Amino acid sequence: MCIAILNTIDRLSADTITNSWNNNNQGAGLLYNLNGQLQTFKTYKLKQLLKEYNRLRDNPNTGKIVLHFRIATSGGTEKYTNLHPFLINSKLGFVHNGIITGLGNNTHSDTYQFNELLKQLPPNFLQCEATRELITGYIGGSKLIFLDKIGRAHV
């Protein structure tokens, strides 16, 4: 199963990041808010991930960072399009930990396809309790971490 980490303020150790990578080394990504802009970083190289993570943590304007370390269950491992995090729109992104039954194929991961479904919802869908309940039921035992453009995390 993938590893998803919500890093609030403290800097994660290089050992923590390296250990997460060594256990889930089929790509990694960062989701973060910097100066009011939601941004992503995706890579297949541990050194690049560590460099970018430390650059962000050195910047006092960087708030929460969501890290994701992937084990591919569908969609293959050579496409950046299947790496987390995913942006639903310019105001909301997420990472996923688990398998969403019924989604995913040889080209696209289950999470890529799930993101395509989320893009069809109204921009403020997380504020609707019924929608959150439906999403929870749809993803089964999987976990999601959402981050919005003003730095609020929704787990």
Side-chain angles (χ1 to χ4, degrees):
M1 193 170 292
C2 298
I3 297 172
I5 301 170
L6 174 59
N7 177 224
T8 53
I9 296 173
D10 295 334
R11 184 183 302 260
L12 297 172
S13 70
D15 286 345
T16 296
I17 294 172
T18 301
N19 184 50
S20 296
W21 177 273
N22 288 339
N23 285 290
N24 294 61
N25 63 359
Q26 295 177 323
L30 307 171
L31 174 65
Y32 57 96
N33 174 292
L34 185 61
N35 300 321
Q37 297 291 318
L38 196 58
Q39 300 182 36
T40 65
F41 174 82
K42 300 177 183 187
T43 185
Y44 284 105
K45 298 182 188 285
L46 174 59
K47 284 185 180 184
Q48 287 179 345
L49 180 70
L50 286 166
K51 182 178 178 181
E52 183 65 6
Y53 174 78
N54 285 316
R55 182 187 75 78
L56 292 170
R57 272 292 157 239
D58 288 341
N59 185 332
N61 296 319
T62 304
K64 296 175 178 84
I65 301 174
V66 180
L67 298 89
H68 185 270
F69 301 87
R70 183 169 190 246
I71 289 182
T73 54
S74 61
T77 58
E78 56 285 328
K79 289 188 171 195
Y80 278 87
T81 56
N82 288 321
L83 289 182
H84 303 220
F86 291 91
L87 292 178
I88 300 164
N89 55 49
S90 64
K91 298 177 183 180
L92 187 65
F94 76 102
V95 301
H96 165 245
N97 179 8
I99 298 172
I100 302 172
T101 304
L103 296 179
N105 56 37
N106 289 337
T107 304
H108 292 110
S109 70
D110 56 333
T111 310
Y112 175 92
Q113 290 183 341
F114 183 66
N115 186 45
E116 293 301 303
L117 294 172
L118 293 178
K119 287 179 179 181
Q120 298 175 48
L121 295 174
N124 62 346
F125 72 89
L126 277 183
Q127 301 189 2
C128 175
E129 185 176 343
T131 302
R132 288 192 314 269
E133 288 295 321
L134 288 170
I135 289 171
T136 299
Y138 189 80
I139 65 168
S142 296
K143 302 294 181 205
L144 300 169
I145 302 174
F146 292 95
L147 186 67
D148 67 23
K149 79 175 225 166
I150 60 172
R152 292 179 299 195
H154 310 269
V155 181

